[in-house]
Amino acid sequence: MKIGILQTNPISGDIKGNAAALLAAVRSAASSGADLCIAPELALCAHPPSDLLLSESFIVACGKALQEMAQTLLTEKLPPLLLGAPVANPVPQGKSIHNGAMLLRDGKVIVICRKVLLPCEGSLEDMRYFEPGVACGIIQYKGWRLAVTIGEDVWNDRTFWHGRRTYEVDPVAETMASGADGLINLAALPFQIGGAYLHERMLGWSAVRYRVPLLCVNQVGGQDGLIYAGKSVCFNPYGAVTARAAAFAEEVLLVDLVKPGDPLEAPGPSDDADIWAALTLGIRDFVRKCGFSSVLLGLSGGIDSALVAALAVDALGAENVLGVLMPSPFTSRESIDAAEKLAANLGIKTNTIPIAPMMEAFEGALAPVFEGRTRDVTEDNLQARIRGATLMALSNKFGHMLLNTGNKSEAAVGYLTLYGDGCGALAVIGDLYKAQVFSLARWYNEREGYDRIPRFILDRPPSAELHPGQKDEDSLPPYDVLDKILYDYIEMRMGFDTLCEVGHDPEVVGRVLHLLTAAEFKRHQAPPALSVSQRPFGSGWHMRIACKPA
């Protein structure tokens, strides 16, 4: 039997548009000989639909769309479609809806199963909205018995995981005990660095354990800060990958369960190429799905804005990116030259708006109130806020989306100015530590074959140039020290004592953790960041603002 894997890029809440895209994908698969088509978890409304699920009219609209799709498939003599969508809970107890897998066949909508294992961690918020199901499902079609699972239902195999498991039950084992010839997983798994490698190992283990072909169809595309990589995959009963859909792109992939094909090479750990592809897709989809077509950003001559500009050009085209230079009296000639050289290399237009007159106007207006007080961070922050206001004015006037250029290291310790360099609709590199920013920029230059990001930008000590001779290390530990502490605390979840035990300086650790806690109020007001780590600020980090950690 031939199965069409529909790796689609839906828009959150766009039920009609997503339904049309799914039908178009079914038609494409049918033209290649597909007997059955499968689409990702919650493919009809896009994952995650969040509080749209609390609207009764939204659930009704999903049901209506499913009926219309089923009728279209029947009328056009297209193959059946298995897809994910919210479905009403038929009993009066518990939450009103399930995360369901529906089969559209013979003009009917058949509920095959309801997701059993509901995560509530990071961006995975099923437990907030859905009532858990009791078992996975079975499709009987063309002589095959295919077990159907949704998302995390395949993630709790006690023979794969060694140590603590999130759930007590293994719904796949229970379903496979009744007998099945194949296993299907409808997924919507956000991209994480290193995640695809682990995901394929786990799925391959299940294929071997049950000695059946296994198909996993995954969503692709950006949904706010979340990025879905696609990479839908098919395994033979020996755990080898025999087909893999495109990474970070839509695709209709046809697989044959009888003749699955030769094994493919296993993926390696995520690298800079994966991160680059994820971030460019995230930019493109966020801008497009929010109704914009062009972006702007401030160009300082520093590494962060240089990397964001390069990513934006790859995502949207140079003609849709505007760089804005806003030199102050403290901006070096070298920084201006570097920003202009970068813009020329990328082929983007620039505007130069000196901010000295605005600084003078602010300082003059505030002088009577500030009389007798020495110059301090207040005046430094004024520069950032003048730049932020300037960028927002250009965004309003010309309809460009403003991209934020801050990184995760800065966001962690509050090294940004609210309503200044904290402005923007999307924090493109907000989930990359400073070391990752440099690594990705060097990879990009290697890919391009020359220093498209000028060497001066890569080699200079990081500085916001807020006053003569100022460098980031005047206020922060060196980034190689800071990033290691932050990574161990945030991603590895080490406490103070453990951080010291693994070799970090206790005094520096105490200082960094104090800055991290004190900056929480800034992060609560920050734009969404494109997420690539296990624990991004926002979806993966939930802390109180008024907090005093032990």
Side-chain angles (χ1 to χ4, degrees):
M1 182 167 63
K2 296 180 180 179
I3 296 182
I5 297 177
L6 313 184
Q7 184 170 286
T8 56
N9 184 350
I11 297 176
S12 184
D14 184 9
I15 298 170
K16 290 184 178 180
N18 297 337
L22 286 165
L23 288 171
V26 172
R27 294 184 186 101
S28 175
S31 68
S32 300
D35 300 301
L36 171 70
C37 294
I38 61 174
E41 176 182 2
L42 295 174
L44 182 61
C45 56
H47 184 277
S50 299
D51 277 10
L52 288 172
L53 295 169
L54 301 179
S55 167
E56 184 179 353
S57 61
F58 181 77
I59 304 303
V60 170
C62 286
K64 181 180 179 182
L66 290 170
Q67 294 288 350
E68 292 173 351
M69 292 174 68
Q71 189 59 46
T72 299
L73 296 177
L74 177 64
T75 301
E76 298 185 20
K77 299 181 180 179
L78 295 170
L81 170 63
L82 175 70
L83 79 163
V87 59
N89 182 356
V91 300
Q93 289 81 34
K95 295 183 174 66
S96 62
I97 55 173
H98 294 278
N99 184 340
M102 266 66 78
L103 181 66
L104 311 186
R105 179 182 179 185
D106 299 328
K108 299 177 182 178
V109 178
I110 305 166
V111 179
I112 299 300
C113 65
R114 297 167 169 85
K115 189 173 181 179
V116 180
L117 305 181
L118 303 183
C120 188
E121 182 179 1
S123 63
L124 305 175
E125 50 190 16
D126 288 33
M127 194 177 292
R128 171 177 167 83
Y129 303 103
F130 297 114
E131 183 69 12
V134 295
C136 301
I138 294 284
I139 292 176
Q140 299 190 52
Y141 188 64
K142 287 188 176 293
W144 286 76
R145 282 176 54 85
L146 302 174
V148 178
T149 66
I150 305 173
E152 284 67 27
D153 286 349
V154 297
W155 279 74
N156 209 40
D157 188 332
R158 68 178 69 250
T159 67
F160 178 82
W161 299 105
H162 302 288
R164 182 182 296 275
R165 298 184 306 141
T166 304
Y167 310 96
E168 181 179 352
V169 300
D170 181 356
V172 176
E174 295 174 2
T175 300
M176 296 302 293
S178 66
D181 308 311
L183 181 58
I184 294 173
N185 180 238
L186 310 186
L189 183 66
F191 172 78
Q192 286 183 2
I193 296 171
Y197 176 72
L198 175 63
H199 190 227
E200 287 203 5
R201 280 187 56 219
M202 181 196 66
L203 294 175
W205 180 276
S206 292
V208 170
R209 178 182 178 185
Y210 301 112
R211 285 290 189 267
V212 295
L214 186 152
L215 288 75
C216 176
V217 54
N218 191 34
Q219 182 173 297
V220 72
Q223 302 291 343
D224 294 352
L226 301 176
I227 305 163
Y228 297 81
K231 299 185 182 181
S232 301
V233 68
C234 176
F235 296 84
N236 67 20
Y238 306 101
V241 175
T242 57
R244 186 184 294 116
F248 306 104
E250 291 185 288
E251 184 177 356
V252 175
L253 177 68
L254 190 69
V255 298
D256 191 331
L257 295 185
V258 178
K259 301 177 181 179
D262 296 328
L264 303 179
E265 187 175 329
S270 298
D271 56 13
D272 287 328
D274 276 336
I275 298 171
W276 189 275
L279 294 177
T280 52
L281 175 61
I283 294 170
R284 185 181 309 116
D285 274 4
F286 188 84
V287 171
R288 175 179 64 89
K289 292 178 181 181
C290 288
F292 288 78
S293 58
S294 58
V295 298
L296 81 158
L297 70 154
L299 290 184
S300 66
I303 185 64
D304 295 323
S305 61
L307 181 61
V308 172
L311 285 161
V313 166
D314 260 22
L316 304 169
E319 68 278 9
N320 293 312
V321 180
L322 172 67
V324 184
L325 286 69
M326 296 168 287
S328 80
F330 309 122
T331 304
S332 66
R333 183 68 245 179
E334 292 83 358
S335 292
I336 296 172
D337 291 344
E340 290 176 342
K341 176 65 173 175
L342 172 74
N345 288 353
L346 296 177
I348 64 174
K349 295 180 180 179
T350 61
N351 286 335
T352 299
I353 305 175
I355 66 168
M358 290 179 270
M359 289 172 59
E360 292 172 3
F362 266 93
E363 292 179 6
L366 292 168
V369 183
F370 288 176
E371 185 176 1
R373 294 181 177 269
T374 58
R375 185 182 184 90
D376 58 16
V377 69
T378 306
E379 285 76 15
D380 292 344
N381 285 343
L382 271 176
Q383 291 184 57
R385 291 189 173 116
I386 288 167
R387 290 185 171 114
T390 301
L391 291 169
M392 285 305 305
L394 295 173
S395 175
N396 293 160
K397 183 63 69 175
F398 298 106
H400 306 309
M401 177 183 284
L402 175 59
L403 299 182
N404 179 276
T405 60
N407 61 63
K408 191 170 188 175
S409 302
E410 295 170 345
V413 295
Y415 197 63
L416 54 83
T417 303
L418 279 181
Y419 326 120
D421 54 325
C423 283
L426 179 69
V428 173
I429 56 172
D431 199 25
L432 295 183
Y433 294 105
K434 193 76 168 186
Q436 292 175 300
V437 171
F438 277 103
S439 174
L440 198 57
R442 293 190 182 98
W443 173 86
Y444 173 70
N445 279 352
E446 291 176 5
R447 189 196 75 174
E448 296 299 291
Y450 74 105
D451 289 338
R452 199 173 189 189
I453 295 177
R455 177 59 53 182
F456 169 79
I457 294 176
L458 284 162
D459 292 343
R460 69 182 304 197
S463 169
E465 294 188 313
L466 298 175
H467 49 78
Q470 182 262 337
K471 294 181 175 60
D472 290 3
E473 290 187 13
D474 297 341
S475 306
L476 302 173
Y479 279 113
D480 58 343
V481 174
L482 176 64
D483 283 357
K484 290 176 182 176
I485 294 173
L486 290 173
Y487 181 86
D488 285 347
Y489 184 78
I490 296 170
E491 318 295 337
M492 302 305 294
R493 295 169 167 81
M494 294 183 187
F496 178 87
D497 291 341
T498 307
L499 289 168
C500 298
E501 288 172 5
V502 299
H504 297 298
D505 185 302
E507 183 178 346
V508 179
V509 170
R511 180 183 168 205
V512 169
L513 298 189
H514 169 74
L515 291 172
L516 180 71
T517 302
E520 194 63 47
F521 79 102
K522 293 186 178 182
R523 290 190 290 274
H524 275 245
Q525 300 179 65
L530 293 178
S531 301
V532 296
S533 75
Q534 293 183 20
R535 206 176 181 196
F537 291 134
S539 61
W541 174 270
H542 302 278
M543 294 289 180
R544 308 312 304 170
I545 296 174
C547 180
K548 189 176 181 180

